[in-house]
Amino acid sequence: MDDKQIVDLYWARSETAIEETEKKYGRYCHYIAYQILYNDEDVKEVLNDTYLKTWNTVPPQRPDPLKPYVGMISRQLALDTYEAQHTQKRGGQVLLVLDELSECIPDNDNGADIGESIALSDALSRFLLALPQRTRNIFVRRYFYMSTVAEIAKDFSMKESNVTMHLLRTRKKLEQFLKREGFDL
């Protein structure tokens, strides 16, 4: 079943929409949540919450495509769960990734207005679209999917040291880009 048909099921308030979403994107959402939480029980909760939140937000949203929409919901719910647990024992990868990004992304914990958040999101999108595809894929794997350097190295047939250097250079470029865009780092 394609995304449009699944979204139409949500709009018709058919519970089949949740089943079809799980069938089509369950493994994808599981991967995202597991990379953050490293615990199957927590991931199951996140997946259930993902389907519920999708049910509650479609309608009024009409996501096209559906995959990144449910992926972002899963990711945010997993990060919320991780933060609520306040532990460094599980998901240590999250702290490492967030620490790496803290060098080049402005801190938004101070309750900055929504306009600034939207501007940052737009700037990040433009930065990523300007990157070569391979560089963009490596960056997204690390900082969206929270993959380890070892996983990325294996998947891209690279040495771990090359991946680390690649990410460092991309973060530096991002930092320079955001400064040119007028963001306070």
Side-chain angles (χ1 to χ4, degrees), residues 119 122-124 126-127 174-184:
D122 180 57
L124 287 171
R126 285 185 283 116
F127 174 77
L174 174 59
E175 181 179 16
Q176 292 168 355
F177 175 81
L178 291 175
K179 283 181 181 177
R180 282 193 309 269
E181 292 288 312
F183 288 95
D184 245 347

Side-chain angles (χ1 to χ4, degrees), residues 24-33 67-68 70-71 144-145:
K24 189 166 184 182
Y25 297 121
R27 289 182 58 186
Y28 172 70
C29 292
H30 182 277
Y31 175 82
I32 292 170
K67 183 178 182 178
V70 295
F144 183 83
Y145 294 110

Side-chain angles (χ1 to χ4, degrees), residues 1-182:
M1 184 172 281
D2 70 18
D3 287 359
K4 184 183 178 334
Q5 293 171 315
I6 295 172
V7 170
D8 288 344
L9 288 172
Y10 279 106
W11 276 76
R13 304 316 286 163
S14 169
E15 291 184 17
T16 307
I18 294 172
E19 296 168 17
E20 292 298 326
T21 303
E22 182 178 17
K23 196 183 312 179
K24 189 166 184 182
Y25 297 121
R27 289 182 58 186
Y28 172 70
C29 292
H30 182 277
Y31 175 82
I32 292 170
Y34 193 83
Q35 289 300 108
I36 296 168
L37 298 170
Y38 292 100
N39 180 288
D40 282 322
E41 289 302 312
D42 292 339
V43 169
K44 283 180 188 175
E45 280 187 46
V46 165
L47 291 178
N48 288 333
D49 291 345
T50 296
Y51 303 133
L52 177 63
K53 188 166 185 172
T54 303
W55 177 263
N56 289 332
T57 58
V58 179
Q61 300 291 322
R62 193 175 273 281
D64 183 31
L66 184 60
K67 183 178 182 178
Y69 186 78
V70 295
M72 287 192 332
I73 290 172
S74 293
R75 181 178 187 269
Q76 190 57 55
L77 290 171
L79 287 170
D80 291 347
T81 300
Y82 175 83
E83 189 174 318
Q85 292 171 343
H86 293 322
T87 181
Q88 293 185 19
K89 290 181 183 174
R90 285 189 272 167
Q93 189 68 20
V94 174
L95 290 176
L96 186 60
V97 168
L98 294 177
D99 187 50
E100 287 174 13
L101 279 179
S102 69
E103 304 167 1
C104 57
I105 303 244
D107 182 13
N108 200 17
D109 284 348
N110 60 4
D113 66 72
I114 188 103
E116 189 174 324
S117 295
I118 291 170
L120 177 60
S121 176
D122 180 57
L124 287 171
S125 294
R126 285 185 283 116
F127 174 77
L128 289 172
L129 288 172
L131 291 174
Q133 185 174 356
R134 181 179 170 96
T135 302
R136 178 174 52 243
N137 289 344
I138 290 170
F139 193 85
V140 169
R141 279 286 305 275
R142 179 69 172 157
Y143 300 115
F144 183 83
Y145 294 110
M146 308 239 176
S147 297
T148 65
V149 170
E151 290 170 328
I152 296 168
K154 180 181 174 213
D155 292 346
F156 286 86
S157 301
M158 298 170 69
K159 294 181 181 177
E160 288 183 34
S161 60
N162 290 348
V163 171
T164 302
M165 185 55 65
H166 206 80
L167 290 167
L168 175 66
R169 289 179 179 149
T170 307
R171 286 193 314 271
K172 294 289 183 198
K173 288 178 186 176
L174 174 59
E175 181 179 16
Q176 292 168 355
F177 175 81
L178 291 175
K179 283 181 181 177
R180 282 193 309 269
E181 292 288 312

